[in-house]
Amino acid sequence: MDQVTVAVGAALPLTLTSHPLQRSGAWAVTVLAGRDTPEGVSVEDLEDVADRLVADVCAAAASSRQAVEYDWWKVLFALFPNSKATHNSRPRDRAALQPAISQLFAPDDTDDTDESDDTGVWPCTFCGVPSSVVWTKMVLPMFDTDKAINTLPPGVPGWPVCRGCRVAMWALPYGAWVTAGSATVLTCEEPAVERAFVTRNVRRARRIAQVGFDGLPATAGPEHVVAVALRQLAPELPATAVLWSFKNDNQDPWLRVSRTRRATARFLSMVGARAPLRAGWSLLEQALTARDKDGQVVADGRQGAARSLFEAEDGSSRPFLTRIHHLLVAPARRWLPYELGALATLGSTYAEEVLGMEPRLASVATLLVDWIEHGSASPRGRFAEYRAVALKPYQLGQLLMQAQSRLMLDGRAAPAGPEDCAALISTGPRSWEQRMLLFFSVTELLVRRGVSIGGGADPDDEERIKQLVEQPILESDEEDAA
């Protein structure tokens, strides 16, 4: 953090820093206090929020395993497994527990103290405000214990944390998307998106504390909430959204980071505004929805579609283009021509708007469509032949040679040249994306020409397309709107 930020933060009860956990907690304090920005939180606001935290923590810690409040204790245990609120030796009486929890958020003793001397005052780890309180992993998620002395300043028995940041770190469960064992926080270049995400989670946290996880309505997860906020609040702004998901227990803590591209907000805005893109997104959501044998949803397609926009730092996520391609080649699906075109348009638009790709594929796509459309073999058979090798560079090159020679022998023009095919048959970086985009282009062109690949028309097809286009997408669910 730069010196300007620290200097400004020193005069404020609460400072918004760049640390993901503190930042989420600071926004949660802001929302709980009813303020617009963290800078607007007063000392009195901070006191009120701290009192609320103490009351909620004590209620959860003193609850029985059968009580709905116990679910909030599970959330606290996932984040602060060694704290006085979650330890097995904790008192089960609210009155007996309250002094220890209240002490967590007591004001710093820094009056008339020069932070440069040896009186036990240090700059806050997060915002730089002078603090006389040090915290360790016992009350600070995802930090080292006080035994890890090599990561701390000499003579400091923990991480200095000022009162505002201490309140923020324990308000974190309200600002994060929480489960009984993990939490997810958001950082975004557009602060309004962060606030919208936290506001949604604060409402959800209140319900968990009141009725438990079983009392929550079925809703999509954090990626969907972020996608809705990006579309609504930052459609024309280049804004990267980063999700930090973590588990902080004593057995197997982990941290996973995933992010969207900066142009994702613009792409989502385009999806909402254009009928073919809306239809393609609806098909993606439908395809990613899974139900059990009783018809109950076990995998929410809205969440699956939104998650496909996030790229995991460890490379474990499935790219958006890959998902679209797998849908287009799914053998069990009977796609209408309009649906094929919608999915292909969704994929190609994502490549152009989000990945910044401008491939020159028209000539090769025309070559393949001419070959599929004309000849003794059926268009369906030739399309299946192309689909089987669409992502295999060497086999695709052989097919392009076959298509070009067949058209030339039939006296037809063959528009593609070596420079058009070079990127498609190479094994270089992003060449697989080029081959996917070619598949999208071929699909779109087949639909425009009216080349029949699937079965015959069905009387219900027109109604199916109408419902697809009118299906609402990327909207807040009932819990979001409450």
Side-chain angles (χ1 to χ4, degrees), residues 15 93 220 253 374 411 422 433-434:
T15 303
D93 179 78
H374 303 288
E433 292 173 336
Q434 297 276 353

PDB file of all heavy atoms in Angstrom, residues 15 93 220 253 374 411 422 433-434:
ATOM      1  N   THR A  15     -10.565   1.604   7.055  1.00  0.00           N
ATOM      2  CA  THR A  15      -9.884   1.845   5.788  1.00  0.00           C
ATOM      3  C   THR A  15     -10.072   0.653   4.866  1.00  0.00           C
ATOM      4  O   THR A  15      -9.951  -0.501   5.294  1.00  0.00           O
ATOM      5  CB  THR A  15      -8.377   2.081   6.015  1.00  0.00           C
ATOM      6  OG1 THR A  15      -8.202   3.182   6.911  1.00  0.00           O
ATOM      7  CG2 THR A  15      -7.673   2.389   4.693  1.00  0.00           C
ATOM      8  N   ASP A  93     -22.201 -20.632  27.778  1.00  0.00           N
ATOM      9  CA  ASP A  93     -23.071 -19.596  28.333  1.00  0.00           C
ATOM     10  C   ASP A  93     -22.708 -18.259  27.690  1.00  0.00           C
ATOM     11  O   ASP A  93     -21.537 -17.862  27.684  1.00  0.00           O
ATOM     12  CB  ASP A  93     -22.915 -19.521  29.854  1.00  0.00           C
ATOM     13  CG  ASP A  93     -23.792 -18.448  30.464  1.00  0.00           C
ATOM     14  OD1 ASP A  93     -25.009 -18.691  30.611  1.00  0.00           O
ATOM     15  OD2 ASP A  93     -23.264 -17.355  30.761  1.00  0.00           O
ATOM     16  N   ALA A 220     -28.161 -19.724  -7.078  1.00  0.00           N
ATOM     17  CA  ALA A 220     -26.863 -19.952  -7.715  1.00  0.00           C
ATOM     18  C   ALA A 220     -25.753 -19.443  -6.806  1.00  0.00           C
ATOM     19  O   ALA A 220     -25.987 -18.748  -5.820  1.00  0.00           O
ATOM     20  CB  ALA A 220     -26.819 -19.268  -9.076  1.00  0.00           C
ATOM     21  N   PRO A 253      -6.112 -26.787   5.018  1.00  0.00           N
ATOM     22  CA  PRO A 253      -6.434 -25.450   4.488  1.00  0.00           C
ATOM     23  C   PRO A 253      -6.018 -25.327   3.031  1.00  0.00           C
ATOM     24  O   PRO A 253      -5.035 -25.930   2.602  1.00  0.00           O
ATOM     25  CB  PRO A 253      -5.624 -24.508   5.388  1.00  0.00           C
ATOM     26  CG  PRO A 253      -4.500 -25.346   5.892  1.00  0.00           C
ATOM     27  CD  PRO A 253      -5.035 -26.742   6.016  1.00  0.00           C
ATOM     28  N   HIS A 374     -22.150 -29.780 -50.848  1.00  0.00           N
ATOM     29  CA  HIS A 374     -22.200 -30.354 -52.195  1.00  0.00           C
ATOM     30  C   HIS A 374     -21.473 -31.699 -52.234  1.00  0.00           C
ATOM     31  O   HIS A 374     -20.572 -31.963 -51.452  1.00  0.00           O
ATOM     32  CB  HIS A 374     -21.559 -29.401 -53.208  1.00  0.00           C
ATOM     33  CG  HIS A 374     -22.207 -28.050 -53.220  1.00  0.00           C
ATOM     34  ND1 HIS A 374     -23.456 -27.817 -53.746  1.00  0.00           N
ATOM     35  CD2 HIS A 374     -21.750 -26.844 -52.747  1.00  0.00           C
ATOM     36  CE1 HIS A 374     -23.752 -26.537 -53.603  1.00  0.00           C
ATOM     37  NE2 HIS A 374     -22.737 -25.930 -53.019  1.00  0.00           N
ATOM     38  N   GLY A 411     -15.076 -28.848 -60.278  1.00  0.00           N
ATOM     39  CA  GLY A 411     -15.117 -27.590 -61.003  1.00  0.00           C
ATOM     40  C   GLY A 411     -15.551 -26.406 -60.166  1.00  0.00           C
ATOM     41  O   GLY A 411     -15.965 -25.374 -60.704  1.00  0.00           O
ATOM     42  N   ALA A 422      -2.616 -22.118 -42.191  1.00  0.00           N
ATOM     43  CA  ALA A 422      -1.396 -22.347 -41.418  1.00  0.00           C
ATOM     44  C   ALA A 422      -1.657 -22.429 -39.917  1.00  0.00           C
ATOM     45  O   ALA A 422      -1.211 -23.356 -39.227  1.00  0.00           O
ATOM     46  CB  ALA A 422      -0.377 -21.254 -41.725  1.00  0.00           C
ATOM     47  N   GLU A 433      -7.642 -22.830 -30.025  1.00  0.00           N
ATOM     48  CA  GLU A 433      -8.732 -21.858 -30.034  1.00  0.00           C
ATOM     49  C   GLU A 433      -9.115 -21.497 -31.465  1.00  0.00           C
ATOM     50  O   GLU A 433     -10.291 -21.304 -31.778  1.00  0.00           O
ATOM     51  CB  GLU A 433      -8.336 -20.612 -29.244  1.00  0.00           C
ATOM     52  CG  GLU A 433      -8.189 -20.877 -27.741  1.00  0.00           C
ATOM     53  CD  GLU A 433      -7.631 -19.681 -27.013  1.00  0.00           C
ATOM     54  OE1 GLU A 433      -6.939 -18.849 -27.655  1.00  0.00           O
ATOM     55  OE2 GLU A 433      -7.863 -19.563 -25.795  1.00  0.00           O
ATOM     56  N   GLN A 434      -8.114 -21.405 -32.329  1.00  0.00           N
ATOM     57  CA  GLN A 434      -8.389 -21.120 -33.736  1.00  0.00           C
ATOM     58  C   GLN A 434      -9.254 -22.229 -34.350  1.00  0.00           C
ATOM     59  O   GLN A 434     -10.193 -21.961 -35.098  1.00  0.00           O
ATOM     60  CB  GLN A 434      -7.064 -21.009 -34.504  1.00  0.00           C
ATOM     61  CG  GLN A 434      -6.169 -19.870 -34.068  1.00  0.00           C
ATOM     62  CD  GLN A 434      -6.538 -18.550 -34.733  1.00  0.00           C
ATOM     63  OE1 GLN A 434      -7.381 -18.503 -35.616  1.00  0.00           O
ATOM     64  NE2 GLN A 434      -5.904 -17.476 -34.293  1.00  0.00           N
TER      65      GLN A 434
END
